[in-house]
Structure formats: C-alpha cells, structure tokens
Amino acid sequence: FPPGWNKRVIPRENQSAGKKSNDTYYYSPIQGYKFRSRPEVRQFLEMLARRMGDEVGAFEEFRREKSKKRSDRKPPLSSLLQSSTTAMEVDGNTGERKRRSNSFEDDTQSESD
C-alpha cells in the first residue's frame, strides 16, 4: 500500500469458543474511506490515479461502480413478478392434496374476474 493507509483487524463478536475470526478494513490516508478488501483498495487506487489524487472524486466513482455491479446481480423486478411457483393446496371437500400454480399474473387475473 502507498504511505498513509491504515489497516485495522477487528475480532468478530459472538463467535463460538473454538472459532474466532476477524474482519480486516483498510482506510484511505486523506479522507479515511473504509474498504473491506484488498481488491477494493486496488480498484480505488486505480480510480485515484485517474483522478490525479482526488480521493473524494475517486471514492464517488468507486461507489457508483460498486452500486452498478450490485444492481447487475439482482434480477429485474418484472422477472420476479412474472415467475411462477408451485404450491400445494388441500381440497376442502376431500382433503386431497393437489398442486396449484401461483404467479402474480394469476392473482391479478382472478381479482379482475
């Protein structure tokens, strides 16, 4: 790491007697921005070099990129609403169990009928 960076190792709480683990955090030298891993620090340092040492601008870019990556992993809401799941239903008269398909579309269609 370049000069001025701080590394803190913090023991985790509520660990069982045999297992003890730590969380390691890295702090930038000027603004004290917190990073959870060496790859995050490396990415920030690349952005810092592009921004000619501007920690604030580099951190804003870092957060945007991190947020973008996080949103890329989430499925779109529309796919969640259209996905169907299979549930079991018990017939009130016979007590027989049968499969029933549930989906958001099914629910909206039955409400409009």
Side-chain angles (χ1 to χ4, degrees):
F1 289 97
W5 280 80
N6 291 314
K7 174 182 172 181
R8 291 190 188 153
V9 179
I10 301 172
R12 287 191 181 177
E13 296 180 14
N14 301 327
Q15 293 292 313
S16 61
K19 290 187 174 183
K20 298 199 185 246
S21 59
N22 300 314
D23 290 317
T24 303
Y25 299 103
Y26 304 92
Y27 295 87
S28 67
I30 298 170
Q31 297 293 328
Y33 294 125
K34 179 177 173 180
F35 299 91
R36 297 178 52 101
S37 67
R38 291 173 72 98
E40 280 188 357
V41 171
R42 191 175 312 114
Q43 182 182 7
F44 176 76
L45 288 173
E46 290 170 4
M47 293 173 181
L48 190 61
R50 283 197 301 266
R51 298 240 177 202
M52 294 186 259
D54 175 19
E55 271 196 23
V56 174
F59 192 70
E60 288 172 359
E61 181 181 347
F62 173 80
R63 289 184 66 201
R64 275 194 307 272
E65 287 296 316
K66 191 171 179 179
S67 175
K68 191 168 135 181
K69 287 180 184 177
R70 192 177 306 127
S71 66
D72 289 345
R73 288 184 284 176
K74 293 179 184 177
L77 182 58
S78 59
S79 70
L80 293 174
L81 295 176
Q82 293 174 358
S83 68
S84 63
T85 58
T86 303
M88 297 302 287
E89 180 177 82
V90 177
D91 186 314
N93 297 326
T94 64
E96 182 179 325
R97 292 178 62 174
K98 57 184 178 181
R99 289 184 178 266
R100 177 176 64 113
S101 177
N102 281 344
S103 75
F104 180 74
E105 290 176 358
D106 291 344
D107 291 342
T108 57
Q109 288 174 357
S110 63
E111 288 176 6
S112 62
D113 294 338

